[in-house]
Amino acid sequence: MRAYLATSIGVACTAALLLPLSQPSDALAAPGPATAPDQPHLRTGAAAVPGSTQSLPLTPLATRRSPDAAREQGVARRDVRPFSLLGVVWDDADAEFHGTVQVRTRATATHVWSDWQDLETHNQEHGADPGTQERDSGTVHGSTAPLWVGGSDGVELRVRAVQEDGESGPPRALLPRGLRLELIDPGEEPADTGGTDAVGKGSTGEAGGTADSGATGPLAEVERAPAAPMSLEESDTSAANEGLATLGAREIPALTKAEAEAEVTDTAARKYAAPRPRIVTRRGWGADESLREKRFGYTSTVKAAFVHHSATGNNYTCKEAPSVLRSIYRYHVRSSGWRDFGYNFAIDKCGNIYEGRAGGVARPVLGAHTLGFNTNTVGIAVLGTYSGTNPPEAATTAVAQLTAWKLGLHGVNPKGKVTLTSGGSGKYAKGTRVGMNTISGHRDGFSTECPGSRLYGRLGTVRAAAARYQGR
């Protein structure tokens, strides 16, 4: 259970330098034309897509219905600069939020105000494990789950404290201190200024993909101008995928099972190596590498996968998925104070798979996704909310393909069981040994609704499919 710290020593470096850390769970890393209709628009050059964050402090909203201003705060209806994703944060990451958060927004294109929408307030179960450098950095804030609302230029917010059923004990603050509304602009999609790779190949490079997955169809070759030079941070991130794709690649191509087996050095694991699905890199979805901490953090291996839903809502198109990712990334780092994107991978409703936290998709990158169980696991978020909505088949198929490949690199059976040691999760005390499925839902490690009852109910099918991909 030894963790490692990695940092690049120059643009010319093609592999990260590994340095042992003193604490096992404490590995920190420094924070086109051929696109099919249901596929994301991939970043094709190094043009900056900086985006922005507006942070609006909440103020008391005493009303006839709620004369006690301490119980209700918000942001009165107002014009704001354009944004597409929002969330609420507060000062103390350990302060639990007991209340409701509702928001309405005005669409930039139609100038029509939406109905009131609820934000998922119980988001504490996401993040770095207690006692790790990332968690104890002093920069981490409490936060709701973010909500994707699409292009908007007006907002109204109301937050109300509630007394939970059966609550007892000493009096507590009605609402946490320092409540702020964060409005995230993901930045404009960059122009097609360079590169030669294009999207369109099947998600595993083999027959059997679904026609509407957004990851199937012939690979189109498109001639484009040379890509602009990468920054140091972009080079570092791309070099972490050395051997899987060329430096600066916007996607990692799919491999057949035979091709994937040839890349596995462990003899025992090679037998059950699975086809590698196509993966859009961070460069492909336009990650601003200057936001994250500079170093990469690793754990020692991968024993299990935790499946999540992002709880950002389902009101996005697959072409917008890169913008959703850039928004979540900015919210995780700039608003919540994390060192990088929390999840190791993300999957959109069309089945496109995206690299999440930097450090290399084939390596055991330490994420911040399942409080208490980030060590030796991988976190995969399906973009959307699946509490009352069924996840698309393309998305669950992609989860099966990704887990089959990632777990297969470590010889892990997708239908197997594993014992993990809790780092302290609220559901399991620190040091508790917990038996779980090797493909589990977030709720298996923490008392949470995530990944939504509808997605959670599909995990049995995912395990069986992943095992088949491995040839079990």
Side-chain angles (χ1 to χ4, degrees):
M1 302 265 295
R2 191 165 183 75
Y4 295 92
L5 181 82
T7 181
S8 175
I9 56 174
V11 179
C13 292
T14 57
L17 175 66
L18 298 182
L19 300 174
L21 280 183
S22 59
Q23 298 184 23
S25 62
D26 216 8
L28 275 193
T35 301
D38 55 355
Q39 291 177 327
H41 180 86
L42 301 189
R43 182 178 183 180
T44 56
V49 284
S52 64
T53 302
Q54 302 173 69
S55 187
L56 308 178
L58 273 60
T59 57
L61 293 179
T63 64
R64 290 181 181 178
R65 181 172 60 86
S66 177
D68 184 356
R71 289 185 175 275
E72 189 162 357
Q73 297 181 30
V75 173
R77 183 183 295 200
R78 60 179 292 177
D79 297 338
V80 293
R81 297 193 306 276
F83 70 97
S84 296
L85 178 139
L86 56 83
V88 172
V89 301
W90 54 92
D91 293 342
D92 186 358
D94 293 323
E96 292 191 38
F97 186 98
H98 298 270
T100 60
V101 179
Q102 294 183 309
V103 67
R104 55 186 311 201
T105 57
R106 184 182 62 205
T108 304
T110 64
H111 307 293
V112 174
W113 284 89
S114 70
D115 294 332
W116 287 102
Q117 300 184 74
D118 295 316
L119 272 68
E120 174 57 58
T121 58
H122 294 289
N123 196 46
Q124 188 182 27
E125 64 271 18
H126 297 84
D129 290 345
T132 61
Q133 289 182 28
E134 181 173 4
R135 179 61 180 78
D136 295 342
S137 64
T139 65
V140 179
H141 303 297
S143 63
T144 68
L147 179 68
W148 175 262
V149 295
S152 303
D153 59 9
V155 69
E156 183 178 4
L157 178 82
R158 60 192 186 197
V159 173
R160 182 170 173 77
V162 298
Q163 192 79 12
E164 299 193 346
D165 293 341
E167 186 174 350
S168 60
R172 58 171 172 78
L174 293 177
L175 290 171
R177 294 185 177 183
L179 286 165
R180 302 182 302 283
L181 172 63
E182 303 284 287
L183 305 176
I184 312 297
D185 171 20
E188 295 294 326
E189 289 288 349
D192 291 349
T193 56
T196 56
D197 52 347
V199 301
K201 191 170 182 178
S203 56
T204 62
E206 297 184 335
T210 56
D212 61 347
S213 69
T216 60
L219 178 64
E221 295 296 339
V222 179
E223 292 297 331
R224 300 189 181 118
M230 291 186 292
S231 68
L232 173 62
E233 293 86 359
E234 288 176 320
S235 295
D236 292 345
T237 299
S238 186
N241 289 314
E242 181 188 19
L244 308 183
T246 58
L247 190 68
R250 289 169 291 279
E251 65 176 66
I252 295 169
L255 294 181
T256 65
K257 182 171 174 57
E259 291 170 334
E261 287 174 351
E263 294 201 345
V264 176
T265 56
D266 185 280
T267 304
R270 185 179 302 135
K271 178 180 179 182
Y272 294 114
R276 185 178 71 203
R278 167 184 166 272
I279 302 170
V280 178
T281 65
R282 288 169 63 95
R283 183 169 171 82
W285 56 262
D288 181 352
E289 299 297 346
S290 68
L291 295 180
R292 64 169 174 81
E293 205 172 316
K294 298 301 179 289
R295 296 164 294 169
F296 304 140
Y298 300 97
T299 186
S300 60
T301 187
V302 174
K303 296 181 178 180
F306 282 101
V307 178
H308 304 252
H309 66 174
S310 63
T312 47
N314 303 314
N315 187 29
Y316 73 94
T317 67
C318 294
K319 284 186 177 181
E320 291 176 321
S323 294
V324 176
L325 291 172
R326 292 197 302 274
S327 299
I328 296 173
Y329 173 42
R330 176 172 282 272
Y331 184 73
H332 282 178
V333 177
R334 286 291 176 88
S335 301
S336 302
W338 301 358
R339 54 160 294 272
D340 194 355
F341 192 86
Y343 306 106
N344 298 103
F345 296 92
I347 295 172
D348 68 25
K349 63 176 70 174
C350 293
N352 297 296
I353 300 171
Y354 303 87
E355 177 183 17
R357 182 163 286 207
V361 298
R363 304 178 71 181
V365 176
L366 180 66
H369 49 82
T370 307
L371 187 68
F373 294 99
N374 291 305
T375 298
N376 294 338
T377 66
V378 59
I380 301 167
V382 180
L383 298 181
T385 303
Y386 299 104
S387 301
T389 301
N390 290 325
E393 182 180 353
T396 55
T397 297
V399 174
Q401 293 169 340
L402 177 59
T403 53
W405 172 71
K406 184 69 175 181
L407 294 178
L409 295 177
H410 301 272
V412 176
N413 185 345
K415 294 198 296 185
K417 303 288 185 179
V418 65
T419 299
L420 301 175
T421 301
S422 173
S425 73
K427 184 174 183 178
Y428 297 105
K430 185 175 182 178
T432 303
R433 291 172 57 82
V434 185
M436 295 186 185
N437 292 305
T438 53
I439 299 178
S440 288
H442 187 185
R443 63 175 62 180
D444 294 318
F446 198 98
S447 298
T448 175
E449 163 67 13
C450 185
S453 58
R454 300 294 182 89
L455 178 53
Y456 187 78
R458 295 293 306 278
L459 293 188
T461 301
V462 167
R463 294 181 193 107
R468 289 195 298 272
Y469 285 122
Q470 288 188 354
R472 296 183 186 269

